[in-house]
Amino acid sequence: MVVNISDIERARLRIRDRIRPTSLEPSYSLSQMCGVSVHLKHEHRQTTGSFKLRGASNAVLQLSRDEQAQGVVTASTGNHGRALSFAAKTCGVKATICMSDLVPENKVSEIRRLGAEVRIVGHSQDDAQEEAERLARAEGVCLVPAFDHPAVIAGQGTLGLEIVEALPDVSTVLIQLSGGGLAAGVALAVKSRRPKARIIGITMERGAAMKASLDASRPVQVEECESLADSLGGGIGLDNRWTFAMCQDLLDDVILLSEQEIAAGMQHAYLQEREVVEGAGAVGIAALVANKVGNLNGPVVALLSGRNVDMELHRRVVCGV
């Protein structure tokens, strides 16, 4: 395995002045509902509104001066693009973010506000990825992938270290599963400290690329669809080098959620926890509310991964107006 626990520990030292450690809070409503202790990791309160700043910062800080001078490029469903734009700006590095037309406007406008160049390309994350790779080849800019990169995986894994240090006897971690950078990094960190902990990936039914790939025992393409959990969209890359193998080795289960179940998770987060989270950020809560986690043992940690939701959408989904 390319990434190891030492990489994650070094990443934490490297990015400690660039990110904020986030709190792990007990959820009384979910604990009562599930009959076991449930805690919520408030990563949606991270600077830039999602966990993505950890991996993006770790990647940018490891670039050479020459690489930083060339600038960085990536493909993103929104949160990685925002995080990379922020990390690049703080280091004086030019950033170009390629996205499909499925990315919500609130995420696009925030990336532009941070000074990055935005390119809207095609109708899927795969289309945006092709453009990012083309720019890297044609213009010599440094490609910083959203998930399939050792520095990104190690950066996301710092979140797992925080979980185990705050809750040493954690038994189950519910983690967002998309391209696998977050799931791989957190699973590695948690299992290195707590080998018997179960790490369960949570994703949407529509276009779950990593789940389809795990079922096929190889990376496969899927059709990308609109979803409340838009941050979980996109493929994992047919030439995936790191996250597929790590998720295959480290994840104990994967749970799929319907759009209605994701909406119920967003509603619970707001009405019971008083937290505004985007659809992807609520999938851990949603899996618990839908009673989809089998053999549930506590303590349980569900990650609130991001808050970058269009507030009009949030109002319609959560408040029904």
Side-chain angles (χ1 to χ4, degrees):
M1 190 176 294
V2 173
V3 183
N4 58 45
I5 189 62
S6 296
D7 295 317
I8 297 175
E9 291 168 342
R10 285 192 291 270
R12 178 158 65 171
L13 291 175
R14 189 176 295 116
I15 68 176
R16 62 185 175 184
D17 295 329
R18 305 294 179 121
I19 62 106
R20 62 177 64 155
T22 53
S23 62
L24 186 69
E25 303 288 344
S27 168
Y28 299 107
S29 64
L30 290 170
S31 297
Q32 184 177 37
M33 178 185 298
C34 298
V36 298
S37 174
V38 177
H39 291 69
L40 300 176
K41 177 65 168 166
H42 286 182
E43 190 65 12
H44 63 307
R45 298 181 184 174
Q46 185 59 257
T47 308
T48 74
S50 84
F51 71 92
K52 289 285 192 177
L53 186 60
R54 296 173 183 265
S57 296
N58 193 42
V60 170
L61 290 171
Q62 290 187 72
L63 297 177
S64 68
R65 288 186 179 179
D66 287 344
E67 288 172 327
Q68 289 189 354
Q70 292 298 317
V72 294
V73 64
T74 196
S76 174
T77 56
N79 286 339
H80 175 65
R82 181 174 178 179
L84 185 62
S85 300
F86 185 92
K89 184 176 183 179
T90 60
C91 292
V93 175
K94 180 179 183 295
T96 302
I97 313 299
C98 302
M99 295 178 285
S100 80
D101 58 11
L102 291 179
V103 177
E105 178 56 34
N106 67 299
K107 294 182 178 180
V108 176
S109 61
E110 182 59 24
I111 290 169
R112 287 197 173 105
R113 188 189 68 79
L114 287 168
E117 178 184 349
V118 172
R119 298 199 180 193
I120 305 298
V121 182
H123 307 293
S124 71
Q125 175 77 347
D126 290 339
D127 293 337
Q129 182 66 32
E130 288 181 9
E131 175 65 6
E133 292 173 358
R134 187 194 67 78
L135 286 172
R137 291 191 302 269
E139 301 182 11
V141 292
C142 186
L143 183 65
V144 180
F147 51 87
D148 195 35
H149 189 285
V152 172
I153 296 167
Q156 318 305 25
T158 62
L159 194 156
L161 294 180
E162 291 179 15
I163 289 174
V164 178
E165 289 167 0
L167 194 66
D169 60 340
V170 60
S171 181
T172 305
V173 178
L174 306 180
I175 197 79
Q176 284 73 6
L177 181 62
S178 180
L182 173 67
V186 170
L188 175 60
V190 172
K191 285 182 178 285
S192 294
R193 298 284 196 268
R194 179 99 170 138
K196 293 184 179 180
R198 293 174 70 212
I199 312 296
I200 300 175
I202 315 291
T203 190
M204 69 290 193
E205 292 177 347
R206 297 179 176 178
M210 183 61 81
K211 177 65 164 74
S213 298
L214 293 172
D215 288 345
S217 297
R218 59 181 176 83
V220 298
Q221 288 183 313
V222 299
E223 181 182 357
E224 189 172 346
C225 303
E226 287 188 289
S227 172
L228 288 174
D230 57 89
S231 296
L232 302 184
I236 70 167
L238 295 181
D239 58 348
N240 187 288
R241 298 177 62 189
W242 291 283
T243 60
F244 172 73
M246 292 181 71
C247 287
Q248 196 173 42
D249 290 342
L250 294 169
L251 292 184
D252 295 287
D253 197 5
V254 176
I255 293 172
L256 299 179
L257 297 174
S258 69
E259 294 301 298
Q260 292 76 18
E261 288 165 341
I262 295 169
M266 295 174 70
Q267 289 175 332
H268 186 98
Y270 183 71
L271 298 175
Q272 300 299 323
E273 310 296 338
R274 292 304 184 200
E275 301 291 344
V276 174
V277 293
E278 59 188 278
V283 295
I285 290 177
L288 294 172
V289 171
N291 194 29
K292 282 198 163 181
V293 186
N295 302 314
L296 186 62
N297 294 314
V300 176
V301 171
L303 175 67
L304 305 185
S305 61
R307 66 168 185 259
N308 297 321
V309 62
D310 182 298
M311 289 309 296
E312 179 59 30
L313 172 65
H314 187 272
R315 199 163 68 98
R316 293 199 306 271
V317 171
V318 173
C319 304
V321 296

